[in-house]
Amino acid sequence: MAKVIVTVAPTGGMASKAQNPNLPTQPGEIAESVHKSWKEGAAIAALHARRPDDEATCNDEIYRDINRRIRERCDIILNNSTGGGSSGDMLVPRPDGLFESSFEERLKGCEAGAEMATFDGMTFADVHGGREILVVTTPSRCEALAKRMQERGIKPEWEVFGPQHILQDVTRLIEKGYDKPPYYINMVLGADKGFQGAMPYSHDILAAMIRMLPPQSIFCVSGIGPAQLPATTQAILLGGHVRVGLEDNNYYSRGQLATNEQLVARTVRIIKELNHEPASPAEAREILGLKAV
């Protein structure tokens, strides 16, 4: 019987309340949704901050507020995003008419005392809201972000959207010693309609990416939209961990808007039906090599 880590991604950097009124965007809303998800079996909270106007930010004061409110309620692992999102403080207009994601703003996700942080070590175009947004994480920026996490005692959640992301900077940075095993690699599949260079979900694509992981890695799978349920179920069958939540998928079923806790509860039921158990936050910390709280 395996222990499966369930991550809840309650907000994300792109979804809006117009798409799903259940989306938590403000610190109190996020903390309440995470607490409900923890009660259903989530062990990690993958957090994005939003400004009071619901636009995306990596403002460390807002992250601190979110983290404090969550920690007052439960012992879930806190994982702050250094990706940010596709609006608000993250956008820097360029003279060519495109936008660029602010790397300086992204770094602030390391400054709020989280145990983990997402590491998007790639350069790609994000197409959202009629804008083309360049997310530029060059090799030198990868080094700067990895050093910042190492200095702050933060474990990276290496986030990848395709095989090339595993084989290039993630593997390079791991081999340079910026993380200690086990390496936690989150494979996001089904984001190909919004992120240039991302891969769609299929059984074969996921299985191939798992074979490319560096030694001593453990993996998590995030499926976008309709891919969420089959991708996470396959991940469990293949010995991995899973992420669910409104960051990735607004719907519980066709036409039925979801809540974060509903998506977590369904995933936990599937884990148990497959004769596994959801890991508690304490068990997840042991699996990941994090300090107890």
Side-chain angles (χ1 to χ4, degrees), residues 17-280:
K17 286 183 181 290
Q19 295 170 311
N20 186 341
N22 298 319
L23 183 80
T25 57
Q26 298 308 301
E29 296 174 339
I30 294 170
E32 179 62 22
S33 183
V34 168
H35 183 230
K36 290 178 179 178
S37 298
W38 168 78
K39 289 197 289 187
E40 294 292 348
I44 300 176
L47 302 167
H48 280 71
R50 297 289 185 95
R51 305 187 313 198
D53 64 359
D54 286 355
E55 297 281 286
T57 185
C58 280
N59 183 293
D60 51 311
E61 291 300 321
I62 296 175
Y63 266 134
R64 285 192 186 94
D65 189 16
I66 295 168
N67 292 346
R68 175 185 59 79
R69 291 170 185 260
I70 293 172
R71 186 56 74 239
E72 288 173 351
R73 290 169 167 83
C74 63
D75 66 341
I76 200 166
I77 296 170
L78 301 173
N79 177 359
N80 290 168
S81 173
T82 64
S86 305
S87 63
D89 295 339
M90 307 311 303
L91 296 184
V92 179
R94 291 165 47 108
D96 58 7
L98 304 177
F99 290 82
E100 188 167 329
S101 180
S102 170
F103 184 68
E104 290 71 25
E105 188 71 17
R106 290 172 60 190
L107 287 172
K108 295 177 183 178
C110 299
E111 304 302 323
E115 301 161 84
M116 300 181 70
T118 58
F119 192 108
D120 294 278
M122 72 287 291
T123 296
F124 59 90
D126 169 10
V127 182
H128 179 73
R131 300 186 179 107
E132 292 184 331
I133 305 162
L134 299 181
V135 182
V136 181
T137 320
T138 60
S140 62
R141 285 185 170 184
C142 284
E143 295 269 349
L145 182 54
K147 288 177 181 176
R148 183 71 60 94
M149 290 189 185
Q150 194 172 58
E151 291 166 357
R152 301 297 187 270
I154 294 170
K155 185 170 183 63
E157 179 204 70
W158 304 97
E159 192 161 79
V160 300
F161 293 78
Q164 70 277 21
H165 302 151
I166 298 171
L167 297 173
Q168 291 180 333
D169 283 286
V170 168
T171 295
R172 178 178 68 83
L173 294 165
I174 285 173
E175 289 177 346
K176 289 190 73 172
Y178 285 111
D179 192 12
K180 296 178 181 179
Y183 314 116
Y184 195 61
I185 300 180
N186 176 38
M187 295 184 281
V188 182
L189 295 175
D192 48 300
K193 292 180 174 63
F195 294 93
Q196 189 177 37
M199 297 293 286
Y201 164 71
S202 75
H203 174 93
D204 290 343
I205 289 171
L206 175 54
M209 288 175 64
I210 292 170
R211 289 194 295 271
M212 297 175 188
L213 295 173
Q216 298 182 297
S217 296
I218 58 178
F219 69 91
C220 173
V221 174
S222 305
I224 304 303
Q228 184 170 89
L229 185 57
T232 53
T233 302
Q234 185 187 351
I236 298 165
L237 291 169
L238 293 176
H241 307 279
V242 295
R243 185 179 89 179
V244 296
L246 300 185
E247 173 176 353
D248 301 331
N249 176 28
N250 276 314
Y251 290 91
Y252 188 82
S253 60
R254 184 177 294 274
Q256 181 184 348
L257 291 170
T259 66
N260 286 302
E261 57 267 27
Q262 283 178 324
L263 296 172
V264 171
R266 177 171 65 184
T267 299
V268 168
R269 288 196 300 271
I270 293 170
I271 289 168
K272 290 181 176 179
E273 288 291 341
L274 293 173
N275 292 318
H276 300 313
E277 288 291 332
S280 68

